[in-house]
Amino acid sequence: MQPRSPGRRRSLLLTGTTDVVTRCRDFTRDALVDWKWMPGARDDSEDVLLLVSEVVANACLHAGGPRTLLLECTDDLLRVEVTDGNPVAPAPRTRPDPARPGGYGLLIVERIARRWGTVPLVDGKCVWAEIDSPLRSPDARGPQPVAW
């Protein structure tokens, strides 16, 4: 197997598009395949696709829709960034209402990502998340979250 280049970036403009979540998942899947993110690590790639879906869906539901999706891959991690036009930072619900659908998106992001956060922009915000590469050595990953 050939090593990946030190850094790879892909961006997708989303303003004015339809079926945004599916489009972002397909875009991300194609990037992961090209970057050889999935050398038998299907669970890791499915986690990435779920994380992208959740962040993009949150932008659709709570921020007027996403503007861009940026993926940046190194040998150690994948960084996902989604920008939108709402300056309000997302906050996970401490207790989603079990009688209502939804409310678990950021809890899912917290479980999958090594870390995540927001950066204020002049005209909105960027929500970002970082995920360890499945090719990264277990010693370099640091403490792993406890499974549910």
Side-chain angles (χ1 to χ4, degrees):
M1 178 173 70
Q2 295 179 352
R4 295 183 297 218
S5 68
R8 297 187 182 193
R9 293 171 64 104
R10 290 208 183 161
S11 62
L12 179 63
L13 181 62
L14 299 166
T15 307
T17 61
T18 59
D19 203 13
V20 177
V21 174
T22 301
R23 188 169 180 190
C24 289
R25 283 179 64 90
D26 291 346
F27 177 82
T28 301
R29 183 181 297 109
D30 290 345
L32 295 178
V33 168
D34 288 349
W35 294 335
K36 298 175 180 33
W37 178 274
M38 305 181 283
R42 182 162 171 77
D43 290 341
D44 291 314
S45 65
E46 291 301 321
D47 284 351
V48 172
L49 297 177
L50 178 57
L51 181 135
V52 166
S53 297
E54 293 298 336
V55 175
V56 170
N58 279 346
C60 291
L61 293 171
H62 306 293
R67 291 181 177 169
T68 60
L69 167 65
L70 173 71
L71 305 173
E72 186 169 14
C73 182
T74 69
D75 286 340
D76 293 329
L77 62 86
L78 175 74
R79 183 175 172 105
V80 175
E81 297 182 3
V82 175
T83 62
D84 63 57
N86 185 335
V88 178
R93 294 183 190 165
T94 55
R95 299 184 128 217
D97 183 350
R100 293 179 50 205
Y104 295 93
L106 289 177
L107 296 174
I108 291 168
V109 170
E110 285 180 342
R111 288 304 237 180
I112 294 172
R114 176 199 311 176
R115 58 187 182 164
W116 74 277
T118 62
V119 176
L121 303 173
V122 171
D123 59 349
K125 69 179 169 300
C126 172
V127 177
W128 60 270
E130 294 177 345
I131 304 152
D132 285 329
S133 167
L135 302 177
R136 189 173 180 197
S137 72
D139 294 337
R141 290 187 187 193
Q144 297 298 300
V146 176
W148 315 11

